[in-house]
Amino acid sequence: MLSGSMTVAVTGATGFVGRHVVAELLERGHSVRALVRDPGKAGKALPAHDRLEWRVAKELFGSGTSGRAGDVARAQGVVRLGEGEDGQAIESAPSLEGCDACVHLIGIIREAGQGQTFDRVHVELTRRVLEGCRRAKVARYLHMSALGVGPECASAYGKTKFRAEELVRRSNLSWTIFRPGLIHGADGEFTQQVKGWVTGRSAPFVFLPYFQKLRLEGGVKPTLEAPIVAPVHVDDVAWAFAEALHRPESVGEVFNLVGPEAMAFPSMLEAYRDAVPNAKRGLKPRGLPGPVAVGMARVAGLLGLRDALPFDAGMAQMGSRDSFAELDKARVLLGFEPRGFADSLSSYAGSM
């Protein structure tokens, strides 16, 4: 197992979790090679640091530019690795050469244009990163998955996340897979969305929305309930990734990453409402039945109005499921002790 200071490649480094993983790795004395897509975003999102460089390339591993954080340098060469499932060339810039480990964080929660599909981003991109690691002899690999994924998932998001996990398991790398639940933090997309709700500045303006789960039990009339969540702070997620690099017992393991407290989704929304400055204290949570939301999203898609709703069918399916799990393995093998939701929320709510 690797020890001491390393050079760690991080995909998705400019994203919410990625920025915190980069900061944690630098704090521990590692050198970071951030693999990014947008040089403009990289210059704004990543700090200037003598142990941080970034490289950006088309489709992650095509020809691109590289430099210290915030600088654009000349284009780099490309090494062809073969073809992917879609028949396109799989290429690898020198991005991974000389690295000791790779942290792969890239994922999407909703499909978009320009080839941003779950298959391409979750499965094919993971395949390319794994092959790049193999070619560059990067033995240690940490993978970001998600809580509750599996072949039985109703959503394409969950299915493709699990297919990516299967690729990781079949690789010859020393891998670790993380399955975070709902991740929160001051600069997170979810937290900023909730801020808009509780301040009344974002739709639906007059209540705090969430998806309800349908509970079915034999012989009992179906009921609607609020899903249970265990929010985990982004810094705790970043800590777990960095800590695993030095824990040989974490190799070949899958870890849940959730907070220590399970709560109903409306209770979490109320906590934000009560903590965020200038929030409208009179706003109440109101649930939309998950099956109804799924149906609305599917109809909108059929009518060519997919973007008319702020969610798609998969988001409604995942959002109406519970998001909590046991932490025994992470506590024993990683020493993972996440901070409580109330304490972590209070640490940043005042600055939102």
Side-chain angles (χ1 to χ4, degrees):
M1 178 55 56
L2 301 171
S3 61
S5 178
M6 309 176 198
T7 298
V8 184
V10 180
T11 72
T14 61
F16 171 44
V17 176
R19 296 191 299 271
H20 288 260
V21 169
V22 168
E24 179 70 23
L25 291 170
L26 291 173
E27 178 68 23
R28 292 179 180 230
H30 299 300
S31 296
V32 176
R33 185 176 298 170
L35 308 184
V36 302
R37 293 180 180 275
D38 183 345
K41 185 177 180 181
K44 295 177 181 178
L46 297 175
H49 197 288
D50 60 0
R51 283 186 281 105
L52 170 63
E53 64 172 338
W54 56 261
R55 299 187 181 184
V56 60
K58 183 180 179 181
E59 293 298 325
L60 187 66
F61 287 135
S63 59
T65 58
S66 69
R68 291 290 166 186
D71 297 328
V72 178
R74 59 185 177 81
Q76 300 297 302
V78 176
V79 179
R80 184 180 176 86
L81 297 180
E83 293 186 349
E85 288 183 338
D86 56 5
Q88 294 186 349
I90 297 178
E91 300 173 329
S92 179
S95 303
L96 288 161
E97 292 177 5
C99 291
D100 302 301
C102 177
V103 177
H104 183 38
L105 301 172
I106 295 176
I108 56 174
I109 61 171
R110 189 175 188 178
E111 294 184 327
Q114 300 181 333
Q116 296 298 301
T117 67
F118 291 128
D119 276 329
R120 277 178 174 269
V121 176
H122 294 163
V123 183
E124 184 60 23
L125 185 53
T126 296
R127 189 190 312 278
R128 296 180 183 206
V129 173
L130 291 170
E131 179 63 10
C133 286
R134 187 183 71 81
R135 293 295 179 115
K137 296 181 172 56
V138 179
R140 190 71 173 101
Y141 176 87
L142 308 181
H143 185 84
M144 172 90 119
S145 187
L147 197 66
V149 305
E152 76 289 345
C153 261
S155 68
Y157 170 87
K159 285 187 173 72
T160 53
K161 276 286 191 178
F162 185 73
R163 285 171 57 198
E165 285 191 8
E166 291 181 309
L167 292 176
V168 174
R169 290 187 179 92
R170 291 199 299 266
S171 74
N172 293 322
L173 305 179
S174 297
W175 56 264
T176 302
I177 295 172
F178 292 98
R179 290 179 170 180
L182 192 156
I183 305 174
H184 72 101
D187 54 334
E189 293 87 350
F190 172 75
T191 300
Q192 289 301 312
Q193 183 179 49
V194 173
K195 175 186 176 181
W197 294 342
V198 301
T199 56
R201 296 173 184 170
S202 300
F205 304 112
V206 295
F207 64 90
L208 309 178
Y210 68 95
F211 297 117
Q212 294 172 307
K213 65 180 180 180
L214 185 64
R215 181 177 180 182
L216 298 172
E217 293 186 358
V220 178
K221 183 180 179 180
T223 58
L224 291 169
E225 296 180 346
I228 306 300
V229 293
V232 60
H233 193 274
V234 64
D235 285 340
D236 291 326
V237 173
W239 182 93
F241 272 88
E243 184 68 16
L245 290 174
H246 301 286
R247 298 263 186 163
E249 57 269 39
S250 70
V251 174
E253 297 289 352
V254 180
F255 293 103
N256 300 322
L257 295 180
V258 296
E261 306 153 314
M263 65 191 73
F265 206 102
S267 298
M268 180 186 64
L269 293 177
E270 290 171 341
Y272 274 105
R273 179 200 63 197
D274 296 341
V276 173
N278 302 315
K280 294 187 175 182
R281 309 303 178 198
L283 293 177
K284 304 291 185 183
R286 183 181 301 173
L288 176 64
V292 173
V294 170
M296 290 170 57
R298 287 175 175 166
V299 170
L302 291 173
L303 296 176
L305 301 172
R306 184 181 68 88
D307 295 330
L309 296 174
F311 60 87
D312 63 11
M315 293 169 69
Q317 288 165 336
M318 297 296 287
S320 57
R321 293 179 55 177
D322 291 334
S323 182
F324 68 96
E326 57 80 22
L327 283 175
D328 293 347
K329 185 194 292 188
R331 285 191 170 111
V332 172
L333 298 185
L334 289 178
F336 183 65
E337 292 294 343
R339 67 202 76 185
F341 175 68
D343 289 342
S344 55
L345 173 59
S346 65
S347 71
Y348 65 79
S351 61
M352 289 176 61

